[in-house]
Each structure stands twice: as structure tokens, then as C-alpha cells.
Amino acid sequence: MTQQSHPAGDAGRRKQPGRPDGSGVPDLPDRVAKIYGDLDLSTVPAFAGGFINFGYWEQPPGADRPLTVADRVRSEEDLYRLVLSAFDRPAGRTALEVGCGRGLGCALALREFDLGSVIGLDAHPDQIARAREANAALLANGPTPATPGSPPAPSGALTFVRGIAARIPLPDASVDCVYSVEAAQHFRELTGFAREATRVLRPDGRLALTTFFARGPEAARALPELLPPYADGLDVPHVIDEAAATLADAGLRDVRVRAIGDRVWASYDRYMAQQPELRDEWPRRYLRAYETGLLDYYVLTAEAPDGGGGAGEGGSAATAAASTAR
């Protein structure tokens, strides 16, 4: 196939000292390192607001008016809200976001879900730097009281740590909630992440993850022909049933899957159709991939194993299949 550029194009290009092409970041494929380094994906129109996700549109605005930037940002925030709502009674608890990007979702989690603390983990040093810059006031001052007319203030502590999903730099049984929003498609394999999420969860902890997955093995083989991010090494076409089984095999219990593509792809495509800055048409192929049965967007949830922290105990592909709901 003819390779086409990433939607970032040359927008937001920022040279990084010591790696002028954005590559050369340890533990990251060059394409991932470049997109989140030199090209800074958070600056492109497709990801208005800097959250870097396709968004969740529970009630899209009517077709009688264009979608605004505010609508797009709200959709990205709402995807975080959907994932974070999977945690029962999160107040005062400790949460870990794997693949935190600029840390905007971490701040939202603190502000709206009354968590005691949130740790943002990202593999790219530039993203950690951006997260610390974007949340500098919160990091410097800690929790502050809300002022009249302003959004509720974050209630807990915020920390950003560099690390990869397959080697989370946290102690065993150290967090209550592990969540990840549109990051797992970059993981070269899911086994390490599943093992590490199981390890760091406390006995009553929970995992919530959302991203897009191939619907089956044949779809996984076909996706690189349609979508350049799969062909150029940015994304990996993980299969949804295999992903659920991997979580169960790591010892996580009650693995559940919910497809939410009907509230993602059509509205995202509608917003993208309005973007005159978009040089390539291929980002709108995600809707085609969804409509032709190649991929969908999913939320996966799971419980920590009995006793917590023990990877690979009691999990199986059969357990995942039995408890998967679509």
C-alpha cells in the first residue's frame, strides 16, 4: 500500500534535543517515539483539547449544526468519565493511569471522582514533561479549595512517572484502580501489561481499559491495508477476545467487555469531515473499518485476583470467554 502521513503531518513539529527525528527513545518503537515526541499528537485538530482520544459521544448534537471544538473536547473528557465511572466508591483511593499523555485525564480524575491520589504513567519522556507542565499548578500547590464559579478543585495528590506498561515502576499491591484510555493499541503485546496491572492492584482493586481492537484474527490481518497506523508500526491490531483472555490469564477476575463503537466512530467522523486542515483522508477510514466489521471500540473491566497482586493465578481464556459480555 502507499504510505500516507500521520494526521499530525508537520503541525506542531517540535525538535527534541539529541533526536531531531523524534526517535531513539528507549523502550519505544521509533514511530511511537516520533508521534508523541517531535510531532506532538496533542497539538493536531483531530485531538482538540489535547486528550488524544477518539471520544465518547453519549448524545451527539443534532445534525442541524456543525460539531464544535467544545463538542470534541467534551467527547474526549466523556470517554474518561465513562472509564472512571467503572470504579465503585473511588473517593480517597489511589489510581494509576497507564499511558497518561499530557495528564489531563489524571487531573479530571482527581477533580471529578474525589480520588485520594492519581499516578500518571507514560513511556515517553516528552509526554511526562508535557504532563508536568500542563499540571504545574496542581503539582506545586497540591489540592486547593474551589473558588466560586470555577470547576471543583482536585481533591488529592498528583504524580507523574515515566515507565512502560510491561514494567510498571510501582510496588506490589500499591493501587486500588488501574485505568488506561486509548493507549493499549500502542503496546507491542498485552501480556506484560496484564501481569503488571494484576501485580500492582490491591486485593479489592479494579482495572478499566478502553481503546479500539480488531474484532477477530482475519480483521487484524486486514487492518494494516486500510489504516496506516497499523502499517507503519504506531498501533498493533490486538484482537478483542485475545485481549480479554490475556487479562484473565494474568489472574484478573470477572473480565467483562462492552462495545461502544456506536457512540464513538460516527460522531468522530462527522467532526473530522469539518476539518479543512486535514491533508489526508485516511483518518476517516476508521468509520469504514467499524462499519465493515474490522474493528470496534471497547471498554474492558476486571477485578483483582482473590488475595491481590498474584499474576497468573486462577486466570484462563475460558474464564475470560465466560464472563465477557457484548
Side-chain angles (χ1 to χ4, degrees), residues 1-28:
M1 66 178 289
T2 300
Q3 293 296 308
Q4 294 170 281
S5 64
H6 192 275
D10 294 321
R13 181 174 290 274
R14 299 177 182 179
K15 297 299 182 184
Q16 303 300 324
R19 51 175 195 281
D21 64 349
S23 63
V25 180
D27 298 321
L28 286 178

Side-chain angles (χ1 to χ4, degrees), residues 238-285:
H238 299 301
V239 176
I240 183 58
D241 287 342
E242 295 173 1
T246 298
L247 296 179
D249 286 341
L252 294 166
R253 300 178 295 114
D254 196 19
V255 179
R256 295 180 180 272
V257 177
R258 174 187 171 194
I260 61 169
D262 60 339
R263 292 291 183 268
V264 174
W265 302 116
S267 294
Y268 168 77
D269 184 77
R270 179 180 157 194
Y271 177 79
M272 292 297 285
Q274 301 171 192
Q275 302 305 311
E277 306 95 331
L278 195 65
R279 295 189 310 167
D280 298 324
E281 56 78 30
W282 70 259
R284 300 190 61 197
R285 297 183 200 170

Side-chain angles (χ1 to χ4, degrees), residues 48 57 61 65 67-77 271:
W57 311 72
R65 73 166 178 85
L67 295 177
T68 66
V69 171
D71 292 326
R72 179 70 180 102
V73 173
R74 177 59 184 255
S75 78
E76 295 173 276
E77 294 173 335
Y271 177 79

Side-chain angles (χ1 to χ4, degrees), residues 84 87-94 109-110 112-117 155 176-177:
L84 291 162
F87 299 116
D88 185 38
R89 297 185 297 277
R93 295 194 167 195
T94 299
L110 282 173
E112 298 187 15
F113 289 83
D114 201 26
L115 286 154
S117 61
S155 62
D176 304 292
C177 313

Side-chain angles (χ1 to χ4, degrees), residues 2-325:
T2 300
Q3 293 296 308
Q4 294 170 281
S5 64
H6 192 275
D10 294 321
R13 181 174 290 274
R14 299 177 182 179
K15 297 299 182 184
Q16 303 300 324
R19 51 175 195 281
D21 64 349
S23 63
V25 180
D27 298 321
L28 286 178
D30 283 350
R31 189 60 177 158
V32 177
K34 185 173 183 179
I35 288 294
Y36 289 98
D38 186 37
L39 295 180
D40 190 1
L41 193 58
S42 67
T43 65
V44 306
F47 300 113
F51 283 85
I52 317 181
N53 67 63
F54 284 116
Y56 179 73
W57 311 72
E58 181 63 47
Q59 294 181 322
D64 58 333
R65 73 166 178 85
L67 295 177
T68 66
V69 171
D71 292 326
R72 179 70 180 102
V73 173
R74 177 59 184 255
S75 78
E76 295 173 276
E77 294 173 335
D78 281 350
L79 186 61
Y80 269 93
R81 294 181 179 111
L82 180 69
V83 170
L84 291 162
S85 67
F87 299 116
D88 185 38
R89 297 185 297 277
R93 295 194 167 195
T94 299
L96 166 68
E97 180 177 353
V98 179
C100 67
R102 293 180 62 213
L104 305 182
C106 295
L108 184 151
L110 282 173
R111 182 172 64 247
E112 298 187 15
F113 289 83
D114 201 26
L115 286 154
S117 61
V118 174
I119 303 162
L121 177 77
D122 203 278
H124 205 301
D126 296 348
Q127 291 292 71
I128 291 296
R130 291 175 188 128
R132 289 172 177 158
E133 179 180 3
N135 298 280
L138 180 57
L139 291 168
N141 302 319
T144 56
T147 57
S150 69
S155 62
L158 179 60
T159 307
F160 293 109
V161 179
R162 188 186 170 203
I164 66 171
R167 293 196 302 274
I168 296 174
L170 295 178
D172 294 355
S174 56
V175 301
D176 304 292
C177 313
V178 173
Y179 69 96
S180 183
V181 176
E182 206 166 301
Q185 76 279 4
H186 298 317
F187 302 166
R188 300 303 100 176
E189 47 84 25
L190 296 174
T191 303
F193 164 71
R195 180 189 64 245
E196 285 290 270
T198 305
R199 180 184 64 79
V200 301
L201 278 171
R202 292 176 177 140
D204 61 346
R206 196 162 205 234
L207 166 78
L209 176 154
T210 193
T211 195
F212 46 98
F213 290 91
R215 287 182 173 175
E218 291 186 6
R221 289 189 288 271
L223 281 168
E225 292 298 318
L226 180 64
L227 291 166
Y230 289 119
D232 68 16
L234 179 64
D235 295 336
V236 178
H238 299 301
V239 176
I240 183 58
D241 287 342
E242 295 173 1
T246 298
L247 296 179
D249 286 341
L252 294 166
R253 300 178 295 114
D254 196 19
V255 179
R256 295 180 180 272
V257 177
R258 174 187 171 194
I260 61 169
D262 60 339
R263 292 291 183 268
V264 174
W265 302 116
S267 294
Y268 168 77
D269 184 77
R270 179 180 157 194
Y271 177 79
M272 292 297 285
Q274 301 171 192
Q275 302 305 311
E277 306 95 331
L278 195 65
R279 295 189 310 167
D280 298 324
E281 56 78 30
W282 70 259
R284 300 190 61 197
R285 297 183 200 170
Y286 283 97
L287 179 61
R288 190 193 317 168
Y290 168 64
E291 291 177 337
T292 56
L294 294 180
L295 60 70
D296 204 346
Y297 212 101
Y298 299 91
V299 176
L300 293 84
T301 58
E303 309 292 334
D306 292 326
E313 298 174 4
S316 68
T319 301
S323 59
T324 295

